[in-house]
Amino acid sequence: MIYSFEPGDKRCEQFVAVLSDKSLDYEIIERDKVVIRIFGRVNGELREHLDQISGRAGKLILKKESENKPASANITERQKFIIAGPCSVESEEQIDRVAGFLSGLNLKYLRGGAFKPRTQSSSFQGLGKIGLKILASAASRYKMKVVTELMDKSQLDDVAQYADIIQVGSRNMFNYSLLTALGAVNKPVLLKRSMAATIDEWVHAADYIRRGGNERIILCERGIRTFEPRTRFTLDVLAIPLAKELSGLPVVADSSHAAGNRKLVPPLIKAALASGADGIMVEVHPDPDNALSDGAQSMSLDEFKTIFDEITQMGLLKQPDSDAGPGFQF
Ligand code: PEP
Ligand code: MN
């Protein structure tokens, strides 16, 4: 069970005293909020007592079927937004070229991994802190927001310092300690769906972050593993409206990782937007054939411009000039 307090809240001491009194183990994460994760058995009576001390309303993020609105409601209301950039931060020059190009299209969300979850240990692991600095300085030059992945709790101080939106990757969606820690951080979190998670598991994972008091969460459908080997993953298009309904959170779609091949990215972008995604994530690289990671699925700047113009003309981006983003304040 997870509880959250504002820093300096006196009730927190009382709460911890009750846990000690009951000989329960717990973890305390103190950042922008104080998050307490309880280990051990908590019976109904104690739970009520703890709820009372903390003033918590015990509502789950996963709404009951009866609370769901019909599928058509709310689906296209939110502003669409685009998160684009290379898979990995590779150099200052690479990021400057991408950021300059994207900001020329009036796009505001720059992605790039500094800590990379790579399948093979011999592959490029990212530039680490140096990559974060490169990303943040380009974002500030071009007035963009940084979206970058946090792989481990040990990187939290660095990533939180430079990211505007903290990305949790597919491989970490089930990392409940990491999700719990992100509840205590005052930064929006983009939570990718695990390649092997059901929609309910994904929404429950978001609840770990929300329980800690961080409500600024964006879900990201990035494709699930199926029996089909011709695409890298299978973008679960219906997960987009379903996750939106079940969670009430904005849902974006990462078309690049699902496709695995840059030629297949444009149809997925259109499908995702048409199915009600609040935004899309796309990997864009100035020289995809020489990218240090995910080159095959990364679009060149020209290729991205072509699909961007197309979705704009099709009316799939509601107001591409607006800065409304995921619908919450930064
Ligand atoms: C990424 O965005 O570069 C990435 C590693 O994505 P995923 O976690 O979806 O595989
Ligand atoms: Mn990638």
Side-chain angles (χ1 to χ4, degrees):
M1 291 175 90
I2 294 168
Y3 287 82
S4 166
F5 294 89
E6 292 301 326
D9 186 339
K10 289 274 172 283
R11 294 175 302 176
C12 188
E13 282 163 39
Q14 192 192 345
F15 189 92
V16 168
V18 172
L19 298 181
S20 304
D21 187 49
K22 301 282 178 199
S23 304
L24 286 167
D25 192 10
Y26 54 86
E27 178 190 8
I28 296 195
I29 303 144
E30 290 188 76
R31 298 194 68 95
D32 306 308
K33 291 214 173 2
V34 181
V35 172
I36 301 178
R37 183 183 190 194
I38 305 171
F39 303 106
R41 291 173 66 162
V42 177
N43 64 24
E45 197 187 334
L46 176 58
R47 186 182 178 144
E48 236 171 74
H49 187 39
L50 294 172
D51 282 355
Q52 202 184 12
I53 299 173
S54 69
R56 177 171 97 171
K59 211 169 113 237
L60 269 170
I61 202 167
L62 190 68
K63 294 178 187 159
K64 294 198 188 79
E65 298 299 326
S66 56
E67 291 172 355
N68 289 337
K69 300 197 182 92
S72 59
N74 263 331
I75 268 178
T76 49
E77 268 166 30
R78 283 202 192 98
Q79 181 59 50
K80 310 283 184 188
F81 66 112
I82 296 180
I83 302 166
C87 178
S88 304
V89 180
E90 298 171 8
S91 69
E92 227 163 296
E93 196 221 336
Q94 171 226 26
I95 294 298
D96 188 77
R97 275 192 68 191
V98 176
F101 164 78
L102 295 172
S103 79
L105 299 177
N106 225 341
L107 300 182
K108 305 271 188 269
Y109 299 89
L110 177 66
R111 64 148 287 150
F115 297 103
K116 295 301 304 176
R118 302 306 302 281
T119 304
Q120 295 189 33
S121 57
S122 55
S123 302
F124 174 62
Q125 303 288 310
L127 294 182
K129 262 185 256 181
I130 295 165
L132 293 175
K133 287 180 190 161
I134 291 175
L135 206 52
S137 95
S140 114
R141 264 196 311 286
Y142 294 103
K143 301 198 169 29
M144 297 180 82
K145 306 267 185 222
V146 168
V147 183
T148 197
E149 178 165 352
L150 170 73
M151 272 179 61
D152 188 87
K153 265 205 277 188
S154 62
Q155 299 153 355
L156 188 47
D157 284 332
D158 292 320
V159 172
Q161 184 184 343
Y162 295 107
D164 295 295
I165 299 179
I166 300 175
Q167 176 174 327
V168 176
S170 182
R171 289 154 190 81
N172 257 322
M173 189 212 85
F174 287 112
N175 184 342
Y176 298 120
S177 304
L178 185 69
L179 301 178
T180 304
L182 284 168
V185 177
N186 191 18
K187 286 270 162 110
V189 176
L190 181 131
L191 177 64
K192 286 198 161 191
R193 180 183 182 184
S194 158
M195 62 190 82
T198 64
I199 296 168
D200 282 19
E201 285 169 332
W202 182 28
V203 173
H204 281 306
D207 202 43
Y208 269 84
I209 304 169
R210 199 190 61 98
R211 283 284 193 201
N214 187 351
E215 310 247 345
R216 292 187 296 166
I217 305 165
I218 305 159
L219 298 176
C220 178
E221 161 62 36
R222 47 80 71 207
I224 51 174
R225 191 161 265 169
T226 67
F227 51 78
E228 178 51 67
R230 283 201 177 265
T231 54
R232 190 175 180 193
F233 296 96
T234 298
L235 190 80
D236 184 1
V237 172
L238 277 181
I240 297 165
L242 278 170
K244 281 179 71 154
E245 268 188 24
L246 289 166
S247 68
L249 296 170
V251 178
V252 302
D254 172 349
S255 320
S256 304
H257 287 86
N261 169 346
R262 74 185 75 123
K263 297 247 169 339
L264 298 174
V265 173
L268 280 188
I269 290 178
K270 289 185 228 164
L273 290 171
S275 70
D278 295 293
I280 47 169
M281 174 180 269
V282 196
E283 285 186 339
V284 179
H285 194 290
D287 182 11
D289 290 333
N290 289 304
L292 294 182
S293 60
D294 285 350
Q297 70 199 28
S298 301
M299 298 181 109
S300 68
L301 307 188
D302 286 348
E303 285 165 338
F304 180 73
K305 172 83 169 69
T306 303
I307 182 65
F308 178 75
D309 288 345
E310 202 180 330
I311 54 179
T312 306
Q313 276 155 21
M314 288 171 82
L316 285 173
L317 293 175
K318 283 179 77 193
Q319 296 165 308
D321 289 344
S322 159
D323 192 23
F328 42 65
Q329 296 297 311
F330 282 90

